[in-house]
Amino acid sequence: MTVPSAVVVNPSKVLDLGELRQTVNALLAEAGWPEPAWYETTVADPGRGQARKAVESGARVVFACGGDGTVRSCVSELAGTEVALAVLPTGTGNLLAANLGLDHDLIGGVEVALAGGMRRIDVGAVDGECFAVMAGMGFDAQMLAATKETTKARIGWPAYVFGAMRHLRDRPMRVSIRIDDQPPLRRRARTVLIANVGRLKGGLRLLRDAEPDDGAFDVAVLTPRTLGHWATLAWAVARRRRRVPRMEVFRARRIQVTSNRAQPRQLDGDVIAPGRVLRAEMRPEALWLCVPRPSSSPDLADSA
């Protein structure tokens, strides 16, 4: 079947762009697909404009080739369209790729699209931008901001551990959490995560019941105050325990987190401007995503 496609690529995340183009073009040609259009991102436009051009040119599949920022920009532009997103991971974060079981597997990303497995998933919307994995305020965004690009390039995702260590002793934030139309909850939290799926880097599933197409967020409120609290929380996650100490989980279609002071914030591992408020709204089944197999499993990587 002939499928017009396009590649939105962040050239700063690719060692040899010419070799990448040759590889992707050859794989698609072998499957009978026409040569894709190629669009390079820029500092001023990390992918939305390029994805828009791809849609306007008639692409039915858009390959996002880069890190979390490139993928998220494509998610924001493709949400609400009939054009499918395929992920070609080249950065060090790649939260969506991790949830597809495709960490740094460019050829695997192309093969997933060629296999034709697609699934309509939910996305979250924050201030006109979309996310497919999770948004967060507090410690998680601090960790991302504190992790150096050079360290990530050298050792990969474990670099985030060093970023995390710098902020384990930071004071908690006082937050008001409004879930849908319920009265607000008040907590002293280290981080609040608004998740569409639950897998973190390293294969860890923080939220075991999160499903990508159930029309609701799983909201995790983490409240560790000491290094011991952090240790027991991390151990429970690593051991895949259903109950995680110092973590509350709620369900929501709309959520607003308001802090007593400006906090770091992130969408799908991509740091955005700090703010006192993180407001997210669910957009059910808004995005076609190329997946290893269009099963109904809550874990998108089950069949990878």
Side-chain angles (χ1 to χ4, degrees):
M1 181 176 64
T2 298
V3 180
S5 63
V7 181
V8 175
V9 58
N10 181 346
S12 70
K13 298 291 185 179
V14 179
L15 291 177
D16 189 329
L17 185 56
E19 181 180 350
L20 172 72
R21 291 183 66 142
Q22 189 174 35
T23 299
V24 173
N25 289 351
L27 288 169
L28 295 181
E30 186 177 344
W33 287 29
E35 183 173 320
W38 287 77
Y39 302 93
E40 295 184 20
T41 67
T42 65
V43 174
D45 188 343
R48 286 199 69 161
Q50 294 84 351
R52 187 180 309 119
K53 290 178 182 177
V55 173
E56 292 171 349
S57 69
R60 303 306 300 163
V61 174
V62 171
F63 293 92
C65 183
D68 289 317
T70 307
V71 174
R72 186 179 65 78
S73 294
C74 290
V75 167
S76 293
E77 194 59 38
L78 298 181
T81 75
E82 293 299 309
V83 179
L85 172 69
V87 181
L88 301 182
T90 57
T92 51
N94 288 305
L95 275 175
L96 186 54
N99 279 275
L100 290 169
L102 294 173
D103 286 5
H104 304 290
D105 187 355
L106 284 167
I107 293 177
V110 176
E111 290 176 341
V112 165
L114 293 176
M118 290 199 298
R119 185 167 172 180
R120 216 183 246 287
I121 68 167
D122 306 330
V123 301
V126 173
D127 299 333
E129 296 289 328
C130 291
F131 65 94
V133 180
M134 61 182 67
M137 172 188 277
F139 171 79
D140 61 308
Q142 285 177 320
M143 173 192 70
L144 293 168
T147 304
K148 297 180 179 179
E149 290 293 329
T150 52
T151 308
K152 288 194 292 183
R154 188 170 68 252
I155 66 174
W157 71 263
Y160 293 108
V161 175
F162 295 101
M165 295 294 288
R166 300 177 189 176
H167 293 285
L168 288 178
R169 294 180 181 272
D170 288 1
R171 62 187 173 122
M173 55 186 179
R174 296 182 182 272
V175 292
S176 170
I177 305 169
R178 182 179 289 276
I179 296 172
D180 296 326
D181 297 321
Q182 300 176 25
L185 306 171
R186 304 193 185 280
R187 297 289 188 273
R188 293 188 66 191
R190 291 303 314 278
T191 192
V192 179
L193 292 170
I194 304 169
N196 188 37
V197 293
R199 187 182 293 272
L200 304 175
K201 290 300 294 182
L204 296 176
R205 291 198 70 193
L206 179 67
L207 293 159
R208 298 179 60 82
D209 295 326
E211 298 187 20
D213 52 7
D214 61 357
F217 299 120
D218 284 54
V219 181
V221 182
L222 277 62
T223 58
R225 296 188 183 182
T226 68
L227 292 179
H229 291 164
W230 278 115
T232 56
L233 188 156
W235 179 250
V237 172
R239 298 290 294 175
R240 300 183 180 182
R241 300 278 170 78
R242 181 158 291 278
R243 183 182 178 279
V244 177
R246 296 286 170 174
M247 184 175 84
E248 295 178 276
V249 180
F250 305 92
R251 300 267 293 167
R253 289 179 60 87
R254 298 185 312 281
I255 181 166
Q256 177 172 310
V257 184
T258 305
S259 173
N260 61 324
R261 62 187 188 277
Q263 297 290 339
R265 304 181 303 165
Q266 61 87 12
L267 303 178
D268 281 357
D270 189 26
V271 178
I272 61 173
R276 290 186 59 239
V277 177
L278 181 63
R279 183 185 300 108
E281 184 170 340
M282 172 61 68
R283 295 180 59 184
E285 298 187 356
L287 178 71
W288 279 111
L289 181 65
C290 295
V291 297
R293 188 175 61 207
S295 67
S296 58
S297 168
D299 188 351
L300 290 172
D302 261 1
S303 54

